[in-house]
């Protein structure tokens, strides 16, 4: 029979497990009450059970790009990390642009006024940063995505695990891709060119990862580039007739049933589309949902045409850009919340992860990310 202190620990742990993932500050305060609670909360077993209990990572913040500069200075972009929980801080990174966020990491590109550039992968919780050597090649257009490569990982907690960056680019000879591995610290050779003739260009907007495939949107919004992250093979997928969406942004997404989807706006309706199950050659598209934004957003928010600004995979949040600012819509509950953003922000890159006191304590001894960026510039 278990002792009374052991039973009390089990009961206390069950209470701590039910603290909301975004309220890590409560866990910190609980850990400071006594050494017994501190050991309980900091234990790897508790952190594992905490992730398993809540199942999906929570949105702890988001990244966005802010256009800066003035009439007297060169145009520049500031990459900003905005917290939505009490456990993280806001971070501004000068001369930088967010490219992607996934599996607890943020992928950014830094560029000097002389045109020198390099990619960075940053972990806002662990404060780990990883500078990637730039590919000595000047493409016509490009995009990139970051993802965890740990074998058997459920992607509930990817901190400290190996990752890869998939870089895809266009040139006059075709479309190529390169893969960076954190385990080898180097880029692969260029893939065989995908020689389909196209005058289209890649755009620096969020990609979608569905199973073993990455999807990148092209500028004309008529095609999507599909890339297999294992074989590195590439194919083109046609979107529904572009006349329907020619003036509105398209945001790619993974649907709940693990298909490729996208969100866009038609009039005052938020339209959610999904790829039908079939071979790539025969598969079509179907509109699964149309949400009347007039019933969700405040009066006056639709004076100017709205746009989709982002999607949080796994928790079903859609982000909308309006003349009243940015709003987060929970697709399951229809709950709407206004975000703290600034003028000049278009795309929202949600940051999803778990944060526990043990990770926060480990992060306190690492180098502040802002000093790394200042040294690099």
């Amino acid at each position: 029979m278990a002792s009374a202190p052991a039973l009390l620990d089990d009961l206390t742990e069950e209470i701590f497990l039910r603290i909301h993932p975004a309220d890590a500050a409560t866990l910190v305060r609980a850990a400071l009450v006594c050494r017994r609670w501190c050991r309980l909360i900091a234990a790897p077993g508790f952190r594992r059970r905490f992730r398993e209990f809540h199942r999906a990572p929570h949105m702890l913040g988001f990244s966005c790009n802010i256009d800066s500069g003035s009439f007297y200075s060169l145009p520049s972009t500031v990459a900003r990390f905005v917290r939505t929980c009490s456990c993280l801080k806001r971070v501004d990174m000068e001369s930088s642009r967010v490219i992607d966020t996934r599996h607890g990491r943020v992928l950014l590109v830094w560029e000097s006024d002389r045109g020198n550039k390099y990619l960075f992968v940053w972990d806002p919780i662990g404060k780990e940063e990883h500078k990637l050597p730039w590919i000595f090649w000047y493409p016509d257009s490009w995009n990139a995505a970051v993802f965890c490569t740990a074998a058997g990982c459920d992607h509930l907690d990817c901190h400290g695990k190996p990752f890869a960056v998939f870089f895809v680019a266009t040139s006059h000879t075709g479309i190529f891709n390169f893969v960076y591995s954190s385990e080898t610290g180097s880029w692969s050779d260029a893939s065989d060119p995908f020689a389909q003739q196209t005058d289209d260009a890649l755009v620096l907007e969020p990609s979608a990862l569905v199973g073993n495939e990455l999807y990148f949107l092209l500028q004309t919004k008529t095609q999507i580039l599909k890339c297999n992250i294992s074989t590195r093979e590439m194919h083109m997928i046609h979107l529904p007739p572009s006349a329907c969406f020619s003036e509105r942004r398209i945001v790619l997404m993974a649907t709940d049933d693990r298909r490729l989807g996208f969100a866009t706006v038609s009039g005052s309706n938020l339209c959610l589309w999904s790829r039908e199950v079939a071979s790539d050659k025969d598969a079509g598209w179907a509109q699964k949902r149309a949400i009347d934004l007039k019933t969700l957003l405040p009066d006056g928010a639709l004076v100017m045409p709205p746009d989709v600004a982002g999607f949080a995979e796994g928790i079903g949040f859609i982000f909308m850009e309006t003349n009243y600012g940015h709003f987060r819509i929970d697709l399951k509950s229809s709950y709407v919340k206004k975000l703290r953003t600034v003028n000049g922000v278009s795309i929202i890159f949600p940051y999803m992860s778990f944060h526990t006191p043990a990770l926060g304590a480990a992060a306190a001894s690492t180098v502040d990310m802002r000093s790394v960026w200042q040294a690099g510039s």
Side-chain angles (χ1 to χ4, degrees):
M1 182 176 178
S3 63
L7 289 175
L8 184 59
D9 282 351
D10 290 343
L11 178 60
T12 304
E13 181 173 326
E14 289 297 325
I15 295 173
F16 289 158
L17 285 175
R18 285 156 176 79
I19 294 176
H20 197 277
D23 192 16
T26 297
L27 280 176
V28 173
R29 288 192 291 269
L32 296 175
V33 169
C34 62
R35 291 183 179 180
R36 193 181 195 95
W37 284 13
C38 183
R39 286 194 297 267
L40 189 153
I41 293 173
F46 173 79
R47 298 202 302 273
R48 183 184 65 255
R49 289 192 63 199
F50 187 79
R51 295 190 298 268
E52 292 172 350
F53 182 84
H54 293 281
R55 290 178 290 183
H58 191 73
M59 178 176 158
L60 302 182
F62 61 88
S63 298
C64 57
N65 296 312
I66 303 172
D67 294 329
S68 62
S70 67
F71 180 80
Y72 301 100
S73 63
L74 293 173
S76 181
T77 302
V78 175
R80 172 170 293 179
F81 178 81
V82 181
R83 70 177 189 177
T84 56
C85 67
S86 59
C87 55
L88 298 175
K89 296 181 179 180
R90 195 188 87 175
V91 178
D92 283 352
M93 306 175 192
E94 300 288 340
S95 303
S96 309
R97 176 176 291 275
V98 183
I99 305 300
D100 191 35
T101 56
R102 187 175 290 106
H103 299 161
R105 296 179 177 89
V106 183
L107 175 64
L108 308 102
V109 61
W110 177 88
E111 184 170 6
S112 71
D113 53 7
R114 297 181 179 180
N116 299 320
K117 63 177 66 175
Y118 44 81
L119 294 170
F120 261 92
V121 175
W122 175 49
D123 180 348
I125 291 179
K127 297 296 186 293
E128 298 173 355
E129 54 84 18
H130 195 110
K131 179 180 175 181
L132 281 61
W134 184 253
I135 301 170
F136 293 102
W137 187 59
Y138 295 91
D140 295 334
S141 66
W142 64 275
N143 202 347
V146 61
F147 53 91
C148 174
T149 56
C153 183
D154 57 11
H155 305 309
L156 295 180
D157 182 10
C158 301
H159 304 286
K161 296 180 181 178
F163 65 87
V165 172
F166 197 96
F167 185 98
V168 60
T170 65
S171 75
H172 67 282
T173 57
I175 305 176
F176 300 83
N177 65 63
F178 304 80
V179 180
Y180 176 86
S181 169
S182 65
E183 295 180 282
T184 64
S186 61
W187 290 95
S188 68
D189 294 331
S191 67
D192 294 332
F194 180 53
Q196 177 170 323
Q197 293 298 316
T198 179
D199 295 328
D200 220 335
L202 292 158
V203 289
L204 291 179
E205 295 193 0
S207 59
L209 178 63
V210 183
N212 217 32
E213 268 107 23
L214 276 166
Y215 297 88
F216 298 92
L217 186 65
L218 296 178
Q219 193 170 39
T220 60
K221 305 175 189 175
T222 60
Q223 298 181 103
I224 298 171
L225 180 63
K226 172 184 173 181
C227 304
N228 187 295
I229 60 177
S230 297
T231 65
R232 299 173 61 188
E233 293 179 350
M234 295 176 283
H235 302 279
M236 284 292 185
I237 295 175
H238 290 277
L239 283 162
S242 60
C244 300
F245 322 113
S246 58
E247 296 182 359
R248 301 269 64 87
R249 182 181 295 120
I250 289 175
V251 170
L252 302 179
M253 55 193 283
T255 63
D256 289 338
D257 54 358
R258 306 308 302 165
R259 302 186 196 177
L260 173 64
F262 69 87
T264 190
V265 172
S266 178
S268 62
N269 290 324
L270 170 62
C271 302
L272 304 178
W273 290 71
S274 175
R275 184 89 164 144
E276 296 291 87
V277 176
S279 64
D280 282 342
K281 183 177 179 181
D282 301 324
W285 293 91
Q287 182 175 306
K288 297 298 184 180
R289 232 177 133 182
I291 302 171
D292 188 356
L293 295 173
K294 291 182 291 187
T295 65
L296 297 180
L297 300 181
D299 293 339
L302 301 179
V303 172
M304 300 293 290
D307 248 331
V308 182
F311 175 73
E313 182 180 346
I315 56 176
F317 288 171
I318 284 278
F319 302 91
M320 300 300 303
E321 178 188 7
T322 75
N323 52 281
Y324 267 19
H326 288 79
F327 293 87
R328 187 190 75 191
I329 300 175
D330 187 330
L331 294 177
K332 296 178 181 178
S333 67
S334 297
Y335 176 74
V336 177
K337 181 177 181 180
K338 195 174 189 301
L339 300 180
R340 293 179 295 173
T341 56
V342 298
N343 293 333
V345 173
S346 296
I347 303 293
I348 299 293
F349 297 83
Y351 178 76
M352 323 257 285
S353 189
F354 284 105
H355 185 50
T356 64
L359 284 176
S365 63
T366 62
V367 178
D368 191 288
M369 182 64 191
R370 285 170 292 182
S371 64
V372 174
W373 283 97
Q374 292 168 358
S377 58

